[in-house]
């Protein structure tokens, strides 16, 4: 039994949490829900306050009317009691029996029993007492002592009390007054039940509650209806804007009437027309730019080949030239190499922009690709006396990739690391898990300033244009590398701090159908301090949400 109750409590708590979560989502996303809920709360508070004030006013009015009628009835009954006692002229010894007879005559004469009597103030129950004699009456012993003291002092007093009777607790309005008999002062108390008044008040409370609920619901319905007329066009505008953002430039808002919403629709449609026109112009300009780049690159191939052949002939005979001319020949060959690399990158960018590039996927050992890329930049590293440290697994790491493109990405990353590493060691880290393989290239040179992690992938962008470069890059390497990573469905990300170096992390899926959700290498990497300090094992990325990464050691 206890287990069943616990399970029900858990299910109820889970249901409450689900409802709360749904309401919270609706509250955040829906203006209509927020406004209607706020109106409900405010109108309910107003109705509650007004209902309380109305109840207090009605209660005061009922009690005041009842008290006035009860006092008048008590004065009338006191006169009748005085006449009855005057006729009997009781002495002190016979006052007790006389009070009982007088009580019976008073009830008979006025019809004041709780069951069949009536009076101007309604039903009542009399109690008569005198000094030194026990009071007589159904509720003789339940009259409050404080009220007795006031009445015995000659004051007509009232008090509302709850007494226990034959039918259970009953609330009475007690009115007491004092009158003088032949023997001693006599006190008369009339107890008027407030049952009818309580019933009236209950009816009023129910009526106020029902009217308040109906009023609140009507207000909520009216607010919801009015608000829908305002929110619906806004929602339609949001839906149209979403479709417009996805590339459907034909979407427009429907304009009806001449009100504020209609003017909003006209403004939106005008803005959409202008944006569509501008996008069309930009697309045409982008196509012209790509075509121009591709055409120029192709056209320069032929003269470049001719110049290259002539330069190679001159370079081969440089030892026969004077020293100045020989040096000029060497510089010409170097610049031709750079020019040829620039043309190659421009052609690659043109193909990537045109979307005609395809991957040559094959299952290869990523470690072999990494070693090949490291070997290709050892000459540059030797010039700058830069040591390249490889932190790779012992076993082979297979992945389905385009080895040529991945090697080109790594060559660009390693060349940049050597060029900006200030001669300090460059660290290459390779890690893999079931779904992904990650390669991080870490240097300890000049680093990147805040905000340059994204700009570094822009075409022809330089962090410090005034700085001397050793590798003579074209400025397109990282942009091409980013596109190559995207072709694989992978990530290429950067991290850096001034004078602490930079780290570029390439994360690729191990199979073409795999979708990346995490990277085996953390970013920023562990051990970002002095290059001679030992680095700890890179953190493993376990989650990626909203652009943030949660890591564990």
């Amino acid at each position: 039994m206890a287990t069943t109750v616990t399970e029900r409590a858990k299910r109820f708590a889970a249901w409450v949490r689900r409802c709360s979560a749904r309401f919270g989502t609706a509250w955040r996303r829906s203006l209509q829900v927020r406004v209607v809920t706020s109106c409900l709360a405010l109108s309910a508070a107003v109705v509650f306050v007004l209902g309380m004030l109305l109840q207090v006013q009605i209660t005061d009015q009922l009690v005041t009317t009842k008290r006035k009628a009860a006092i008048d009835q008590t004065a009338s009954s006191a006169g009748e009691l005085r006449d009855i006692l005057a006729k009997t002229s009781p002495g002190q010894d016979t006052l007790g029996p006389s009070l009982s007879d007088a009580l019976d005559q008073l009830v008979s004469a006025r019809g004041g029993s709780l069951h069949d009597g009536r009076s101007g103030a309604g039903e009542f129950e009399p109690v008569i007492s005198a000094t030194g004699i026990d009071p007589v009456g159904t509720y003789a012993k339940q009259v409050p002592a404080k009220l007795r003291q006031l009445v015995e002092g000659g004051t007509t007093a009232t008090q509302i009390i709850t007494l226990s009777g034959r039918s259970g607790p009953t609330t009475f309005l007690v009115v007491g007054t004092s009158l003088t008999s032949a023997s001693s002062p006599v006190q008369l108390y009339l107890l008027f039940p407030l049952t009818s008044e309580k019933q009236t008040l209950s009816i009023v409370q129910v009526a106020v509650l029902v009217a308040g609920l109906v009023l609140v619901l009507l207000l909520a319905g009216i607010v919801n209806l009015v608000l829908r007329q305002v929110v619906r066009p806004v929602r339609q505008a949001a839906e149209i804007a979403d479709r417009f953002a996805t590339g459907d430039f034909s979407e427009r808002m429907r304009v009806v009437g001449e009100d504020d919403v209609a003017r909003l629709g006209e403004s939106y449609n005008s803005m959409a027309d202008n944006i569509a026109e501008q996008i069309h112009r930009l697309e045409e300009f982008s196509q012209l730019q790509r075509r121009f780049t591709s055409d120029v690159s192709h056209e320069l191939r032929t003269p470049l080949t001719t110049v290259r052949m002539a330069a190679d002939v001159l370079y081969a005979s440089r030892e026969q030239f004077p020293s100045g001319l020989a040096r000029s020949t060497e510089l010409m060959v170097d610049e031709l190499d750079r020019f040829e690399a620039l043309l190659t990158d421009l052609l690659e960018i043109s193909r990537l922009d045109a979307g005609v590039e395809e991957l040559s996927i094959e299952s290869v050992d990523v470690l072999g690709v990494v070693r090949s890329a490291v070997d290709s930049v050892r000459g540059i590293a030797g010039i700058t006396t830069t040591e390249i440290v490889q932190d790779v697994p012992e076993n082979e790491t297979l992945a389905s990739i385009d080895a040529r493109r991945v090697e080109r990405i790594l060559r660009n990353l390693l060349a940049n690391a050597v060029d900006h590493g200030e001669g300090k060691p460059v660290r290459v880290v390779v890690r893999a898990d079931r779904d992904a393989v990650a390669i991080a290239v870490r240097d300890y040179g000049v680093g990147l300033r805040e905000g340059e992690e994204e700009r570094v992938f822009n075409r022809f962008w330089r962090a410090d244009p005034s700085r001397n470069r050793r590798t003579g890059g074209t400025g397109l390497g990282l942009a091409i590398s980013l596109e190559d990573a995207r072709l694989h469905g992978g990530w290429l990300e950067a991290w850096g701090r001034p004078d602490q170096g930079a780290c570029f992390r390439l994360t690729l899926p191990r199979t073409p159908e795999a979708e990346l959700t995490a990277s085996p290498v953390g970013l920023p990497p562990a051990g970002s301090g002095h290059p001679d300090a030992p680095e700890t094992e890179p953190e493993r990325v376990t989650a990626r949400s909203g652009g943030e990464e949660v890591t564990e050691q």
Side-chain angles (χ1 to χ4, degrees), residues 289-290 349-350 352-353 455-462 474-480 483:
Q289 186 180 35
R290 288 197 297 268
I349 283 289
S350 299
L352 290 171
D353 289 340
R455 298 172 60 193
V456 73
F457 296 105
N458 293 343
R459 301 174 184 180
F460 301 108
W461 183 84
R462 278 191 183 184
T474 63
L476 296 173
L478 289 179
I480 295 174
E483 294 299 329

Side-chain angles (χ1 to χ4, degrees), residues 2-36:
T3 304
T4 304
V5 173
T6 304
E7 291 177 353
R8 290 180 179 177
K10 290 181 179 179
R11 288 197 295 269
F12 178 74
W15 178 79
V16 171
R17 286 194 298 269
R18 288 195 300 269
C19 292
S20 300
R22 292 173 182 173
F23 179 76
T25 302
W27 177 269
R28 292 191 304 271
R29 296 181 178 179
S30 176
L31 175 64
Q32 186 173 355
V33 171
R34 290 200 299 271
V35 173
V36 172

Side-chain angles (χ1 to χ4, degrees), residues 280-429:
H280 181 67
R281 290 180 180 177
L282 289 175
E283 288 178 347
E284 290 182 346
F285 177 75
S286 178
Q287 292 176 357
L288 290 174
Q289 186 180 35
R290 288 197 297 268
R291 187 180 303 114
F292 173 78
T293 302
S294 178
D295 293 344
V296 169
S297 301
H298 280 288
E299 292 299 326
L300 288 177
R301 276 292 182 180
T302 301
L304 178 61
T305 302
T306 304
V307 174
R308 163 65 70 182
M309 294 174 60
D312 289 341
V313 172
L314 292 175
Y315 185 78
S317 305
R318 68 184 183 281
E319 295 180 354
Q320 302 175 9
F321 299 152
S323 59
L325 184 57
R327 179 57 181 163
S328 298
T329 302
E330 294 174 354
L331 292 175
M332 181 178 63
V333 171
D334 291 341
E335 291 303 317
L336 281 175
D337 290 339
R338 187 184 177 199
F339 188 28
E340 191 172 9
L342 177 60
L343 281 179
T344 302
D345 289 346
L346 285 174
L347 286 172
E348 188 69 22
I349 283 289
S350 299
R351 287 193 290 268
L352 290 171
D353 289 340
V356 297
E357 287 288 1
E358 294 183 357
L359 295 177
S360 299
I361 298 295
E362 57 180 340
S363 180
V364 298
D365 184 7
V366 177
L367 302 183
V369 178
V370 172
R371 295 189 188 98
S372 178
V374 171
D375 292 340
S376 65
V377 297
R378 286 198 185 277
I380 302 173
I383 297 175
T384 60
T385 66
T386 300
E387 179 185 6
I388 299 178
V389 181
Q390 298 184 51
D391 181 3
V392 300
E394 296 180 357
N395 301 325
E396 67 176 2
T397 304
L398 297 177
S400 297
I401 58 174
D402 187 334
R404 180 184 66 86
R405 293 183 183 276
V406 173
E407 183 178 346
R408 180 170 62 187
I409 295 173
L410 296 179
R411 282 201 308 268
N412 283 325
L413 298 181
L414 288 168
N416 282 337
V418 171
D419 191 38
H420 297 85
E422 304 293 329
K424 299 175 184 178
V426 173
R427 182 181 175 91
V428 181
V429 179

Side-chain angles (χ1 to χ4, degrees), residues 102-350:
L103 179 68
D104 294 336
Q105 295 181 36
L106 183 62
V107 171
S108 300
R110 299 298 299 169
S113 73
L114 286 173
H115 304 289
D116 54 12
R118 295 288 177 182
S119 67
E123 300 175 346
F124 67 86
E125 183 70 30
V127 174
I128 304 175
S129 66
T131 304
I133 298 176
D134 294 335
V136 294
T138 305
Y139 297 93
K141 296 182 178 181
Q142 299 188 52
V143 177
K146 186 176 181 180
L147 182 63
R148 288 179 181 274
Q149 294 175 1
L150 293 174
V151 174
E152 289 174 357
T155 303
T156 299
T158 63
Q159 185 176 353
I160 297 177
I161 59 174
T162 301
L163 303 177
S164 298
R166 293 186 300 271
S167 59
T170 305
T171 302
F172 291 94
L173 172 63
V174 183
V175 182
T177 186
S178 179
L179 60 148
T180 304
S181 67
S183 301
S184 62
V186 176
Q187 294 82 40
L188 173 63
Y189 303 94
L190 297 185
L191 286 75
F192 297 89
L194 299 178
T195 304
S196 60
E197 285 74 16
K198 291 181 67 176
Q199 292 176 351
T200 302
L201 189 59
S202 298
I203 294 173
V204 170
Q205 289 175 342
V206 172
V208 170
L209 179 61
V210 172
L213 289 175
V214 172
L215 180 60
V216 169
L217 294 177
L218 286 176
L219 286 175
I222 293 172
V223 171
N224 184 53
L225 181 62
V226 174
L227 193 61
R228 285 184 61 185
Q229 298 179 4
V230 178
V231 173
R232 184 185 301 167
V234 176
R235 290 177 176 172
Q236 293 175 352
E239 294 174 356
I240 293 173
D242 290 338
R243 292 194 291 269
F244 190 90
T246 58
D248 187 0
F249 302 136
S250 62
E251 286 288 342
R252 296 294 184 272
M253 287 186 64
R254 182 183 178 185
V255 179
V256 179
E258 300 178 357
D259 55 9
D260 295 334
V261 177
R263 288 196 294 271
L264 172 64
E266 293 175 353
S267 300
Y268 176 85
N269 292 340
S270 176
M271 178 190 68
D273 292 337
N274 293 333
I275 292 177
E277 183 179 357
Q278 293 296 329
I279 290 176
H280 181 67
R281 290 180 180 177
L282 289 175
E283 288 178 347
E284 290 182 346
F285 177 75
S286 178
Q287 292 176 357
L288 290 174
Q289 186 180 35
R290 288 197 297 268
R291 187 180 303 114
F292 173 78
T293 302
S294 178
D295 293 344
V296 169
S297 301
H298 280 288
E299 292 299 326
L300 288 177
R301 276 292 182 180
T302 301
L304 178 61
T305 302
T306 304
V307 174
R308 163 65 70 182
M309 294 174 60
D312 289 341
V313 172
L314 292 175
Y315 185 78
S317 305
R318 68 184 183 281
E319 295 180 354
Q320 302 175 9
F321 299 152
S323 59
L325 184 57
R327 179 57 181 163
S328 298
T329 302
E330 294 174 354
L331 292 175
M332 181 178 63
V333 171
D334 291 341
E335 291 303 317
L336 281 175
D337 290 339
R338 187 184 177 199
F339 188 28
E340 191 172 9
L342 177 60
L343 281 179
T344 302
D345 289 346
L346 285 174
L347 286 172
E348 188 69 22
I349 283 289
S350 299

